[in-house]
Amino acid sequence: MTREVFYTDQAPAPVGPYSQAIAASGRMLFVSGQIALEPGTGAMVGGDDVEAQTHQVLSNLKAVLAAAGASFADVVRTTVFLADMEDFARVNAIYATVFDEATAPARACVQAARLPKDAKVEIDCIAVLP
């Protein structure tokens, strides 16, 4: 896989752990949106705690990536869906623990009217397989 991060001062600087743009080549992996379901039981983790849910979502993404032979380092794009944009800073802080700001994927973050199973956060991603 080849991966190159692009930044320009002619567009707004990122306001979090994401890149303005990434060029990548290789076999693409499109990972469906993950919510805070515990793999063994299918039960929602964290209740109304968006931070606990975010940790589980990232754990689920990590597991799917690993099943394909990839890791967070191979992710080039994410979409973060929040039930409440007021949770942005808390989710962003946890998100930053798995994506290094210098090489973080491109990202969009939106507030959704409602997420599956009334989740507080859902994240999907695109990775390039090594």
Side-chain angles (χ1 to χ4, degrees):
M1 172 191 59
T2 62
R3 171 188 172 119
E4 185 176 358
V5 177
F6 290 90
Y7 289 101
T8 177
D9 60 5
Q10 301 301 305
V15 293
Y18 63 91
S19 299
Q20 288 175 325
I22 293 183
S25 64
R27 202 164 61 136
M28 305 296 287
L29 176 69
F30 298 85
V31 181
S32 295
Q34 297 295 307
I35 59 174
L37 297 179
E38 198 279 322
T41 65
M44 183 67 75
V45 172
D48 286 335
D49 182 349
V50 72
E51 292 166 335
Q53 284 197 19
T54 303
H55 283 293
Q56 185 64 50
V57 167
L58 291 171
S59 178
N60 293 347
L61 280 174
K62 182 179 180 179
V64 175
L65 289 165
S71 71
F72 285 123
D74 301 307
V75 174
V76 295
R77 173 81 161 115
T78 64
T79 307
V80 178
F81 301 93
L82 299 175
D84 186 346
M85 195 57 81
E86 292 295 320
D87 292 331
F88 178 81
R90 294 189 324 224
V91 170
N92 203 44
I94 296 163
Y95 180 96
T97 66
V98 299
F99 293 112
D100 180 317
E101 201 162 317
T103 59
R107 178 182 79 184
C109 182
V110 297
Q111 180 172 319
R114 189 170 182 196
L115 295 172
K117 297 194 176 272
D118 292 319
K120 299 286 184 192
V121 60
E122 178 176 356
I123 303 174
D124 68 18
C125 69
I126 301 171
V128 179
L129 294 176

